[in-house]
Amino acid sequence: GNKSQDSGIAEMEELPVPHNIKISNITCDSFKISWDMDSKSKDRITHYFIDLNKKENKNSNKFKHKDVPTKLVAKAVPLPMTVRGHWFLSPRTEYTVAVQTASKQVDGDYVVSEWSEIIEFCTADYSKVHLTQLLEKAEVIAGRMLKLSVFYRNQHKEYFDYSREHHGNAMQPSVKDNSGSHGSPISGKLEGIFFSCNTEFNTGKPPQDSPYGRYRFEIAAEKLFNPNTNLYFGDFYCMYTAYHYVILVIAPVGSPGDEFCKQRLPQLNIKDNKFLTCDEEDGVMVYHHAQDVILEVIYTDPVDLSLGTVAEITGHQLMSLSTANAKKDPSCKTCNISVGR
């Protein structure tokens, strides 16, 4: 007879441990998970326990006591199983995941298997769908359009000297830093040169102050932005401030930058959008920019300094306005979308 019959407890076979875990269909806030397991006792599995952690917590006590329910208890559905919405998964973030199988008992307790091995994966950037949601939020606050005639770039004198001496008089694209939305597909990937185009309300000219150095390269708008360039929406963010930033990308048609953006960013109509327009009136190109956001324009090709002028500005260096590697305010209702963080 069964040796534990006297105690009224039937011995149960151990539940199969998940192995060979596979993560697929990764987005910025969801993924699919599947694994293999022995068929023995498989029919007793009623639930899966999934333990998901940001990778920086890898030294915390990973393997919890077997009887402690873990972060996600999911009904045992056919694999692969989609995981979304149970956590705020952040975009572009490394996670670890481990799984155990479980069998819910009559009294509501669970019998669980051993933990699987730990798998690491990284969530994806915002997709075009997410960026289009950001774009729509940015359009709401862009404000009316003001005229502009130049793009400008502020830097230290050394930067311009270096471009002249080492790059044949041309400013070179460099990789965009990690400022702005955490899920932005251009951060750390897109190469370009940052320009500003905002004008002072009363003068219609670029402001005299700058956070980026005392020297300013100024170039006629049509030399960078014209019907031979495409315009893309890149990001919308604020840094715990009252004003908001919109990043736009100008890429010469067919250039490497254009190909990069086509895959990843919403394209804007250069004549008709809420941020930066270029249109012909009586044979002359006319330019407008949104009044109520600070535009950061990335141009994806080298720019020869002979196409414009470099001069010292008369105003202050306002370091507080610098956006280098600035973190987006995750609590702002104006510029966050509900996906990820």
Side-chain angles (χ1 to χ4, degrees), residues 221-230 250 270 278 285 287:
E222 61 263 24
K223 297 212 169 128
L224 295 188
F225 186 34
N226 53 59
N228 298 318
T229 54
N230 282 327
I250 297 176
I270 66 169
C278 146
M285 295 306 251
Y287 293 86

Side-chain angles (χ1 to χ4, degrees), residues 156 209-214 313 315-320:
H156 302 286
D209 302 321
S210 158
Y212 298 112
R214 299 211 50 87
I313 58 171
H316 303 286
Q317 265 191 261
L318 304 173
M319 290 318 291
S320 62

Side-chain angles (χ1 to χ4, degrees), residues 44-69:
R44 288 185 28 238
I45 298 170
T46 60
H47 290 77
Y48 305 137
F49 288 0
I50 297 178
D51 189 13
L52 185 80
N53 289 286
K54 277 193 182 172
K55 198 175 157 190
E56 56 259 32
N57 299 337
K58 61 174 177 277
N59 296 329
S60 64
N61 180 14
K62 187 76 194 76
F63 288 96
K64 302 175 176 68
H65 187 266
K66 245 172 79 153
D67 300 329
V68 179

Side-chain angles (χ1 to χ4, degrees), residues 122-221:
C122 187
T123 47
D125 296 334
Y126 282 157
S127 67
K128 267 193 198 175
V129 172
H130 301 118
L131 286 168
T132 301
Q133 292 173 16
L134 264 187
L135 162 63
E136 287 162 359
K137 294 200 115 188
E139 287 174 339
V140 172
I141 69 152
R144 67 191 179 107
M145 303 290 274
L146 301 176
K147 266 195 180 173
L148 75 122
S149 57
V150 298
F151 289 103
Y152 56 96
R153 174 170 173 78
N154 296 308
Q155 270 288 355
H156 302 286
K157 182 174 182 292
E158 296 76 29
Y159 168 84
F160 294 112
D161 291 344
Y162 192 87
S163 299
R164 289 188 192 100
E165 289 162 30
H166 298 273
H167 293 301
N169 208 42
M171 297 186 288
Q172 299 298 313
S174 60
V175 176
K176 187 199 165 296
D177 68 7
N178 286 314
S179 59
S181 299
H182 190 51
S184 167
I186 60 178
S187 290
K189 293 182 184 171
L190 178 68
E191 294 192 7
I193 305 170
F194 262 111
F195 285 92
S196 302
C197 62
N198 291 70
T199 53
E200 288 196 310
F201 186 65
N202 47 359
T203 65
K205 290 186 164 54
Q208 276 305 314
D209 302 321
S210 158
Y212 298 112
R214 299 211 50 87
Y215 284 77
R216 174 173 292 171
F217 172 74
E218 236 174 69
I219 185 170

